[in-house]
Amino acid sequence: MTLEDMKKLFETRQSCRKYNPDRIPDSQTLKEITEMSMMSPSACNSQPWKVYVTNVPEKVRGLSKSVQPFGANKFADKCTAFAVITETAACASEKIGVKYTKRDFISNDLGILCAHYVLAAKSADIDSCILGLFEEKAVKAVLDIPEDLKVRLVITLGYAAEDDKIRDKVRKDLGDTCEFILQ
Ligand SMILES: Cc1cc2nc3c(=O)[nH]c(=O)nc-3n(C[C@H](O)[C@H](O)[C@H](O)COP(=O)(O)O)c2cc1C
C-alpha cells in the first residue's frame, strides 16, 4: 500500500449519515475488520477494550434507537451493523502510568482503536460513523453487556446510499493545527 492509497482511504473515510438500509455488511468481513482493529496500539499494550459487533437486524434496530438521545443521530435508523466499544479494566502497568502521569491513557487507547476500526472498515468499503451520543443503559440492554463494562463509543456501520457523495473535508487551517519543525 502506498502513501497515495492511504491518502485516498483517509479522504474517503467520512462519517456516514445516509446509509442504504438494504445492504448489510457480511459477518466474515465484520469479523476480519474487527480482528484487524485489535492490532491497534495501546499504552503498555493494555488493550482495555471489548468490542461488540452485530449485524443481526433485531439487535441493529434496538441499537439504532439507543443512539438517538434528544432526537440526535436519526440517520442510525438506516445503518445495518454496529460496533460498540466498551472499556474493560486496564492492566496494572497502565493503571500505574495513569496514576503517576495523571494522563488519560485509556481514552487515548479507545480513540486510537476507533480510528483503526473505521479505517479498516472503509478499506473493505464499509462506511461508518463514530458516535459519542448514545444511551448507555439502552445499548447495554440490547447486547447484554455486563454491568462492569463501560460503553465508551458506538460506531454505526453499513454502506452509504448511492447518492451520498464524498464531501470535501472541513478542517482548520494547517497553520492552526500543525507546527513543523523540520530541517
Ligand atoms: C468521539 C467522537 C464522537 C462523535 N459523535 C458523533 C455523534 O454522536 N453523531 C454524529 O453524527 N457524529 C459524531 N461524530 C462524527 C464527527 O462529527 C465527525 O468525525 C467530524 O465532524 C469530522 O467529519 P468526518 O468524520 O466526516 O471527516 C463523532 C466523532 C468522534 C471522533
Side-chain angles (χ1 to χ4, degrees), residues 54-72:
T54 186
N55 62 357
V56 174
E58 180 201 333
K59 300 281 180 199
V60 170
R61 275 195 299 278
L63 288 172
S64 296
K65 297 293 161 231
S66 71
V67 298
Q68 299 186 30
F70 330 109

Side-chain angles (χ1 to χ4, degrees), residues 77-137:
D77 277 333
K78 292 196 174 157
C79 73
T80 49
F82 276 92
V84 173
I85 311 294
T86 70
E87 176 184 337
T88 60
C91 70
S93 42
E94 183 171 39
K95 279 185 188 158
I96 292 168
V98 168
K99 188 168 172 200
Y100 285 99
T101 62
K102 297 191 172 54
R103 292 191 183 128
D104 186 1
F105 291 149
I106 296 168
S107 294
N108 292 342
D109 295 341
L110 298 174
I112 294 166
L113 172 68
C114 272
H116 277 62
Y117 202 98
V118 294
L119 289 167
K122 189 63 198 175
S123 75
D125 271 335
I126 295 174
D127 293 292
S128 64
C129 185
I130 299 170
L131 304 181
L133 276 175
F134 54 82
E135 305 275 7
E136 183 174 16
K137 268 195 178 166

